[in-house]
């Protein structure tokens, strides 16, 4: 490992945003999962949450140079488990979803601790997630299609979150160099 | 066809943005092409331009309810052809690309006539496109990945374009009800 690479690991670790994550609600296509992981990693998310699709496993195509090493997946059996886990950790649950109570995605305050909930390719968000979410956000559409691809929608919203957090100086603040920090750095540095 | 659907066709046709398009530079994965078409349609783009990948055809998976009916593809043999075609039609060519002259993607003015040039999955933008583009725009990354998935990157930038055009009232202005308008409406209305 080069000195530059090690220095980059340290810089990126300091920019990690432990109070920001994604929860996928039965998203199942490997390419979508992979693109969401990649976008999440790019925004400084160290752990992504996923609810298992009804059939099969979550397959994650390693198309982008082993993101899985840098952003981990935590799989929940049911959406209820994902919600209670994240609520206990103090996250506001904001779902990407059209509804009467939805607001424009740029109007939400992403500098607060939040988990972005994304619905499945065909079925969209589960009723439970739609009902229990603290807020709904939508991305405008000026055409005939009814929705965006799920990984595109996640990318648009997470980029807005990155933007707001950058403006607010969150990537400068950095997280404390605790036990976990040293552990992660050690793991990344393995060949 | 229901009266509502016909009314929606008319509304969407009036919101079409003929002075905005995408040019893909050998993007080849079907899922990416499909997601880019879908995002383009959502932003009001009626025609997308694509440069053929080296091998094979442009395959376009029809995963989103026949977008191809509403946003058409024009395929160019070489990137040079795509550039000269679009230049002749008065488009500014803005490439999504990291470089010394790149600006933040939100700093570009998308209310002007523009074509967004996107690079291929592995190889990125061709040297020709990078050199000839009028401007380069980048999307910030705070993690270890080196780039976003191409359809995610296109989605992020086109959403900013939609946002700027919405603020500027471009979707209200609408295009003239000329021969082409009536022709398109007729085509869409076919069962
Ligand atoms: C392909 S869409 C699901 C479409 C599904 N037919 C439905 O009615 O919800 C997959 C997920 O992407 C997100 N999404 C797609 N387009 C969106 C938009 N315009 N606004 C907010 N979220 C969107 C939502 O989380 C959605 O559940
Ligand atoms: C997967 S990337 C190509 C990566 C390639 N290895 C390279 O070095 O360019 C595919 C395309 O998505 C767009 N893209 C991806 N991430 C981007 C970013 N952060 N800023 C601007 N464009 C990006 C560019 O058009 C790029 O050519």
């Amino acid at each position: 490992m080069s000195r530059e690479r090690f220095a980059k690991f340290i810089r990126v670790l300091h920019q990690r945003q432990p109070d920001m994550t994604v929860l996928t609600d039965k998203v199942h296509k490997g390419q979508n999962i992979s693109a969401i992981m990649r976008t999440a990693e790019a925004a400084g998310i160290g752990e992504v949450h996923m609810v298992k699709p009804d059939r099969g496993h979550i397959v994650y195509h390693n198309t982008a140079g082993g993101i899985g090493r840098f952003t981990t997946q935590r799989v929940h059996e049911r959406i209820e488990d994902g919600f209670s886990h994240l609520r206990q950790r103090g996250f506001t649950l904001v779902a990407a979803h059209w509804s009467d109570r939805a607001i424009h995605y740029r109007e939400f305050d992403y500098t607060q601790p939040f988990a972005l909930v994304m619905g499945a390719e065909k079925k969209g968000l589960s009723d439970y997630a739609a009902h229990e979410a603290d807020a709904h956000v939508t991305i405008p559409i000026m055409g005939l299609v009814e929705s965006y691809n799920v990984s595109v929608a996640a990318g648009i919203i997470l980029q807005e979150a990155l933007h707001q957090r950058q403006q607010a100086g969150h990537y400068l603040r950095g997280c404390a160099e605790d036990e976990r920090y040293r552990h992660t750095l050690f793991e990344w540095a393995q060949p």
Side-chain angles (χ1 to χ4, degrees), chain A:
Chain A
M1 148 136 0
S2 71
R3 193 177 287 226
E4 287 74 27
R5 186 120 177 106
F6 193 70
K8 186 165 188 190
F9 281 172
I10 292 180
R11 197 170 61 244
V12 165
L13 254 188
H14 274 285
Q15 291 176 339
R16 279 298 192 234
Q17 307 286 305
D19 60 343
M20 162 157 110
T21 191
V22 174
L23 170 63
T24 60
D25 189 1
K26 302 192 178 176
V27 172
H28 62 273
K29 282 196 190 163
Q31 292 222 349
N32 288 331
I33 298 277
S34 164
I36 291 171
M37 294 279 292
R38 185 169 168 184
T39 306
E41 202 285 323
I45 294 176
E47 187 182 48
V48 161
H49 297 260
M50 303 191 166
V51 175
K52 273 195 185 166
D54 290 332
R55 263 165 299 190
H57 301 277
I58 287 178
V59 207
Y60 143 55
H61 290 256
N62 204 336
T63 51
I67 324 154
R69 270 191 74 192
F70 305 117
T71 293
T72 56
Q73 289 179 351
R74 186 186 286 239
V75 178
H76 302 274
E77 285 294 323
R78 301 172 315 135
I79 186 70
E80 290 84 349
D81 305 333
F83 265 63
S84 67
H85 174 86
L86 290 164
R87 279 252 160 75
Q88 264 165 34
R89 286 173 58 186
F91 288 89
T92 291
L93 285 133
V94 52
H97 188 61
W98 282 104
S99 76
D100 288 345
R101 64 177 171 114
I103 58 170
H104 189 287
Y105 78 99
R106 290 199 185 185
E107 272 160 26
F108 189 80
D109 174 9
Y110 301 97
T111 62
Q112 65 188 298
F114 77 90
L116 174 65
V117 191
M118 301 300 305
E121 288 83 352
K122 288 249 165 65
K123 290 200 183 157
L125 214 63
S126 61
D127 289 342
Y128 178 88
H131 190 263
E132 293 295 321
D134 300 299
H136 294 169
V137 292
T138 53
I139 308 162
I141 292 179
M142 311 306 287
L144 289 161
V145 295
E146 314 235 302
S147 63
Y148 293 92
N149 164 283
V150 60
S151 64
V152 171
I156 290 168
I157 299 171
L158 289 178
Q159 186 59 221
E160 172 63 16
L162 183 159
H163 184 75
Q164 288 187 13
R165 284 178 174 237
Q166 204 167 28
Q167 301 287 308
H170 283 221
Y171 293 101
L172 299 174
R173 226 164 39 189
C175 51
E177 300 191 18
D178 58 6
E179 198 49 51
R180 188 165 159 182
Y181 168 95
R182 276 188 296 271
H183 177 75
T184 308
L185 185 59
F186 177 77
E187 289 221 315
W188 285 5
Q190 298 309 305

